[in-house]
Each structure stands twice: as C-alpha cells, then as structure tokens.
Amino acid sequence: MKLASFSRCIDSIILWILVLSTLIFRYLGLTSKINVLLIFLIFVSVVLNCISFLKDGSLLCIICIVGYFFYNFYSLGGSISVCLYNLSQVIPSFLAIIYVFNLLKRRKDFLFDFLNQKVTLFNIYLYISIPFILLQANGQYWLAGNSNGAVNPLGIDLICGLFGFNGTPMMALFVAFAMVLNFDYYCFRCKESQKSLFLLLVIPLFIFYSVLPLFNDNKGYYIVLLLFFFLYFVSLKFGRVSTTNHFESYFKRIGIVYLLIAAFIAVSITLLQIEPIRITFEKMQKEIMQGWEYGSRSHGSNERIGMIQFGLQDSSHVLKGYGVGQHTWTEPYLFGFWHYGQSDFGTFLCLGGVALLIILFFSIFISFTGIVKSFFLSLLVVVSFVIMSIYTQLFTVISLTVSLLLMIILCISRYSQFVEGN
C-alpha cells in the first residue's frame, strides 16, 4: 500500500473514532482507552503528512501547548504526575482540533463527503436516544451509561439519552449541530421529491429536543443552537459574497454581519415573548450575574462565571494561574467551588492563567488560518471555542470537541461551495 493510500485510510479511521467517541464510546465508558488509540493514530498521520503540519504551524502549536505546561510546572511547582495528568486530559481534544483543521486544508472534499453521508446515521441515533431519555426522566438513571465510579445524586443531569453519564452538555452540542445539519441538508442536498418526507422525520426531533431542556435543566442548549445557526449563516453568506475584489467582499460581509445580528436580536425578542423561554432566559441571566458577584461562593451553574471572576481577581496569579502541577482540572471543592472543573475556560484560567488561554486560542486561530479567506470568520470560529469552553468542558472531553468540529466542517463546506463557484 502506498503512503498516500495508507494516510487516507488512517484519516477515515480517525474520523470514525471521533464520531463514535460522541455517539457511543463515552456511553460505554471507553473514552480514556479510545483516546490513547486516537493520539497514536493522529501521531501517525502527523508523521505521514509532516510537511503539511509544519507549513501551517500545527506542529509549532502543539509544541507551544506542551511546552507551556512544563514551563508552568517548573515555575509554580507541584506534582509532575498532576501536571502530566492535566496535560493528558487536554491533548486528545487539542490534537483533534489541530488534525481536523489540517485535514480541511489537505482533504476538505473528503471531510465534506464524510459528513454529508452521516445525516441519516445522526438522525437515527437521536431517535434511538429518545426511549432512553424518557426512561431516565422516569427515574431509570442506571441507563445514563457507564459512570466509571462517578456519582451524581442530581437526577436531571442524567437525563441525557445515549450521550454518557452527566452527558447533558454533550447532548446539547451534538443535537444543536444535528439540527443545523438537517437544515443544511433540506436546503441544499435533499431531493425535491423527498423534502416532505424528510421534514416529517426531522420536525418531531426538533420539537422533542427543543422542549427537553425545560425538563432536564439543560438551558445552555438554546444558546448553543443560536450560536451554531449564527456561525452557519455567517459562513453561508460570506461564501456567497466572495469576489475577486477584496474591498467589495469586505464591505458586503460587514453588511451581512449587521444584518445577521439584527435578525438574531429580532428572533431573540420574539422568543422571549414565550413564557417558558423568557423564564429560562431570566434564570440564565441571573446565574451569570450571581456568578460574577459571588465568585468562589457561587454554587451550581453560575460557578462557570464564578471561576472566571475568581481567576481574574488575584493579580499575582492572573498570568500563570495557581499551577497546572498543583491541582487537577476537576479537583472537588477546589478554591471553594462545589463543581470545580465543570467548564474549561474558568478552570484553565485558575490553574494555567491568562497565558494558557492566550496560547490555546491563538493556536486554534493559527491552525484555522488558511482554511477560509476571511479574518472575521476565522475570529468567529475562535470566539465559538471561547464561548463553548465557558459553557462546558470543551477541551477536556473529546465528545464535546467533536460536536463543535463537526459544526465547523459543515460551515466550511457551505462557505467553500460558494467561494469555489465564483
């Protein structure tokens, strides 16, 4: 087998592992073992395509992340085993991001075809999850998947179908992506004769998974869904206005952004007229304000914001944090937080400091550069990573990373279709 063919085979295996990490491996409690295989396969792909990874700066980004962990450890002390453990939690997701972005430059058509062929699979999976969700909602929490010894007395966190133990954030990201994918398929790929049948199949899914967050306290789903649709429409419209005249494209895209923001505000105002949605929004707003006000005294969902406030309040620890070798990402009751580690942005800020966040998000920006000819869209992708990391454990739970990456692949697919057509 030639190296090129072998490399393509490796790419297919890696993509299937990434998808199944979201759909089934986490539910079965196999994530840690699968991550070892994933790291190995990505390493093989990097070796086989080393020139590509060198040219786009991907290897440098990996070196910077790993190097900073060891610099932080030697600077602030702690345990090398804790430092290595924290690094091992970040590496699978970070490598997946670097790998997918590089693949978008090397074999984007392969990625687009892979994604387009999974529409039926994803919808079937969501339908299969519904009976599990209903049983979990009726107290059958043992159906939430392998917990690997973890315990959560809060039942609503376990109403998550086949997305694994404590899998409500995983369900939020994947379902939001699937809804946008269904919209894209209906508009651009579904045959005219099959559109009515497709709507008949996906509308019940949309209704069920849109109502579910009101019962399992997964309010973040609405924000994720709106963000994903915003990212999708920006990509779609930016692709359509691409011209050889860069100034013309620039001004047209500014107009599109203002138009989409206005539409976003109009839709939000309309939705807020619906009482359950308004109550949910007011509750989320209250939690954000309480998190910022109370810091480490926060409890529950507002700890996400509380960790950020705590990480920024001590000027002596803002830059490098309290040390990635001092505590693990999810150490119980660390700094007074009952649920320390429930989202990565605040967690990384507290232990790794602003420096870790800058290196992480700048690495994502560098890796994404070259995929699209739009600074704003590249920046919007990075902002999406920031928002998702504030909401959940985007960089330490591979299934969450995969859902956002699938969403980005979809957006680039739609953007590229129109750009290349000009």
Side-chain angles (χ1 to χ4, degrees):
M1 182 184 293
K2 295 182 179 179
L3 283 179
S5 298
F6 182 64
S7 177
R8 288 194 291 269
C9 181
I10 292 292
D11 290 337
S12 297
I13 295 172
I14 291 174
L15 288 179
W16 269 110
I17 289 176
L18 290 174
V19 168
L20 293 178
S21 292
T22 303
L23 301 188
I24 193 64
F25 290 151
R26 189 175 184 279
Y27 184 82
L28 298 176
L30 300 175
T31 300
S32 58
K33 296 177 181 177
I34 295 299
N35 279 349
V36 174
L37 175 61
L38 179 65
I39 292 172
F40 172 74
L41 290 175
I42 292 179
F43 175 76
V44 172
S45 180
V46 170
V47 172
L48 293 174
N49 303 279
C50 56
I51 302 299
S52 176
F53 281 92
L54 278 170
K55 282 184 177 180
D56 69 3
S58 298
L59 278 179
L60 180 61
C61 293
I62 296 170
I63 292 171
C64 286
I65 286 291
V66 175
Y68 178 75
F69 267 78
F70 286 105
Y71 164 76
N72 186 283
F73 166 70
Y74 285 113
S75 176
L76 300 177
S79 167
I80 186 63
S81 62
V82 170
C83 176
L84 291 174
Y85 172 81
N86 285 336
L87 181 60
S88 71
Q89 299 302 297
V90 175
I91 284 298
S93 292
F94 185 72
L95 286 181
I97 295 168
I98 297 295
Y99 167 80
V100 168
F101 285 176
N102 180 269
L103 197 58
L104 277 169
K105 299 167 190 173
R106 290 188 290 116
R107 302 183 62 199
K108 64 180 178 181
D109 289 335
F110 163 72
L111 266 180
F112 300 161
D113 291 340
F114 180 88
L115 182 61
N116 293 335
Q117 295 165 5
K118 303 298 177 290
V119 176
T120 301
L121 171 65
F122 293 158
N123 284 311
I124 290 174
Y125 178 82
L126 292 181
Y127 266 111
I128 294 174
S129 287
I130 290 177
F132 286 82
I133 291 170
L134 296 176
L135 289 170
Q136 291 159 356
N138 281 283
Q140 302 299 316
Y141 300 131
W142 61 276
L143 288 171
N146 192 325
S147 66
N148 287 320
V151 177
N152 187 350
L154 193 60
I156 55 175
D157 288 342
L158 307 179
I159 305 175
C160 48
L162 293 169
F163 289 91
F165 194 79
N166 290 337
T168 50
M170 296 75 182
M171 182 166 63
L173 265 69
F174 184 81
V175 171
F177 153 71
M179 294 303 111
V180 181
L181 179 65
N182 284 335
F183 177 83
D184 179 82
Y185 181 83
Y186 176 81
C187 292
F188 295 102
R189 297 193 303 278
C190 188
K191 295 179 180 179
E192 197 66 36
S193 60
Q194 298 176 344
K195 283 193 171 184
S196 297
L197 177 60
F198 185 74
L199 283 178
L200 188 64
L201 292 173
V202 301
I203 287 179
L205 280 179
F206 180 78
I207 294 173
F208 178 84
Y209 283 101
S210 295
V211 173
L212 179 61
L214 300 176
F215 296 92
N216 68 349
D217 198 33
N218 193 15
K219 304 178 295 295
Y221 167 76
Y222 301 117
I223 293 178
V224 176
L225 183 64
L226 289 174
L227 174 65
F228 279 11
F229 266 112
F230 183 79
L231 182 61
Y232 172 80
F233 280 115
V234 168
S235 303
L236 175 65
K237 297 300 182 181
F238 273 27
R240 280 180 167 167
V241 302
S242 293
T243 68
T244 54
N245 188 320
H246 295 297
F247 287 103
E248 182 183 352
S249 295
Y250 178 76
F251 285 111
K252 283 184 176 180
R253 288 173 176 178
I254 290 178
I256 287 171
V257 171
Y258 280 121
L259 183 62
L260 288 175
I261 290 175
F264 180 84
I265 293 173
V267 170
S268 300
I269 293 174
T270 302
L271 291 175
L272 288 175
Q273 305 309 308
I274 304 173
E275 185 173 357
I277 295 179
R278 186 180 70 254
I279 293 173
T280 300
F281 176 79
E282 290 174 349
K283 186 177 180 181
M284 292 171 61
Q285 186 181 37
K286 182 179 179 181
E287 287 178 350
I288 291 173
M289 294 176 64
Q290 287 180 338
W292 189 259
E293 180 180 356
Y294 296 123
S296 61
R297 292 174 295 156
S298 304
H299 180 64
S301 298
N302 54 25
E303 290 179 53
R304 294 177 172 91
I305 305 300
M307 286 188 291
I308 297 175
Q309 191 270 352
F310 178 83
L312 293 174
Q313 71 175 359
D314 188 347
S315 58
S316 62
H317 291 96
V318 167
L319 183 60
K320 294 187 289 186
Y322 288 83
V324 295
Q326 297 285 353
H327 309 279
T328 62
W329 297 134
T330 55
E331 184 174 322
Y333 308 111
L334 184 61
F335 305 129
F337 293 101
W338 284 34
H339 307 93
Y340 184 79
Q342 66 174 300
S343 63
D344 285 340
F345 191 96
T347 305
F348 288 6
L349 177 63
C350 290
L351 294 185
V354 171
L356 175 57
L357 294 176
I358 291 175
I359 293 172
L360 181 61
F361 293 119
F362 188 70
S363 295
I364 292 173
F365 180 81
I366 291 296
S367 301
F368 190 79
T369 300
I371 296 176
V372 295
K373 296 178 180 179
S374 169
F375 173 81
F376 180 82
L377 185 54
S378 300
L379 186 61
L380 184 58
V381 167
V382 176
V383 170
S384 299
F385 276 95
V386 172
I387 294 174
M388 290 299 98
S389 66
I390 292 174
Y391 165 57
T392 190
Q393 298 165 300
L394 185 70
F395 296 109
T396 52
V397 178
I398 188 69
S399 58
L400 292 166
T401 316
V402 171
S403 292
L404 181 54
L405 288 175
L406 291 174
M407 184 64 221
I408 292 172
I409 293 171
L410 174 61
C411 291
I412 302 308
S413 170
R414 195 51 55 210
Y415 174 91
S416 298
Q417 175 191 353
F418 291 104
V419 170
E420 293 173 359
N422 288 329

